[in-house]
Amino acid sequence: MARKHREKVPEWYKPPQEVICPICGRDIPEDQRDEHHLVPKSRGGRVTQTLHRICHRQIHALFSEVELETTYASAEALLSHPEMAKFAAWVARKPPGFFDGTRRSNRRKEKGQNRW
């Protein structure tokens, strides 16, 4: 009888698909995946996109729900903002499992949106 490690992998087996973050372009490990509502749920949004947890938190640290609904409802629109583009360029150089704490942007604090 053949040993298990020498047996062929069943033909029906397919390895898990890679999920690429549209913000930083890195592969997202399973434990770092977050679903981001392109238009916030509180504003009637239903469509989600899988992002790195760190990218998702940065989005919510920079933008209010109104801004996300009206101006930044896609990955391309988010990357058009200079602060988000700078963050994406920085985090793209990190390994896929990298995570760091996220601080609220001074830009949001100045607007008087101190909800959190």
Side-chain angles (χ1 to χ4, degrees):
M1 182 164 179
R3 294 180 184 228
K4 287 191 175 204
H5 71 276
R6 292 186 184 163
E7 289 180 14
K8 288 188 175 184
V9 176
E11 291 182 24
W12 52 264
Y13 175 76
K14 293 179 183 156
Q17 283 187 330
E18 287 185 355
V19 178
I20 304 296
C21 179
I23 302 298
C24 64
R26 299 178 301 149
D27 179 40
I28 309 172
E30 209 163 307
D31 65 334
Q32 291 291 319
R33 293 179 187 170
D34 272 0
E35 291 295 320
H36 170 64
H37 283 84
L38 297 174
V39 173
K41 271 175 55 172
S42 64
R43 304 296 215 161
R46 300 194 187 285
V47 178
T48 62
Q49 194 163 33
T50 305
L51 304 175
H52 263 109
R53 181 163 295 135
I54 192 169
C55 296
H56 187 212
R57 289 195 177 179
Q58 184 66 23
I59 289 167
H60 288 287
L62 285 175
F63 306 109
S64 68
E65 291 189 353
V66 173
E67 289 174 310
L68 288 172
E69 177 189 21
T70 59
T71 311
Y72 302 107
S74 70
E76 295 79 24
L78 288 164
L79 289 171
S80 70
H81 190 277
E83 287 184 51
M84 196 66 202
K86 181 180 173 184
F87 168 81
W90 172 78
V91 82
R93 296 186 304 263
K94 305 295 182 198
F98 175 79
F99 185 77
D100 191 18
T102 306
R103 285 179 231 101
R104 179 172 281 286
S105 167
N106 286 335
R107 181 180 157 275
R108 287 210 42 204
K109 288 178 187 173
E110 291 168 4
K111 288 187 170 186
Q113 297 172 355
N114 294 329
R115 241 179 12 146
W116 295 318

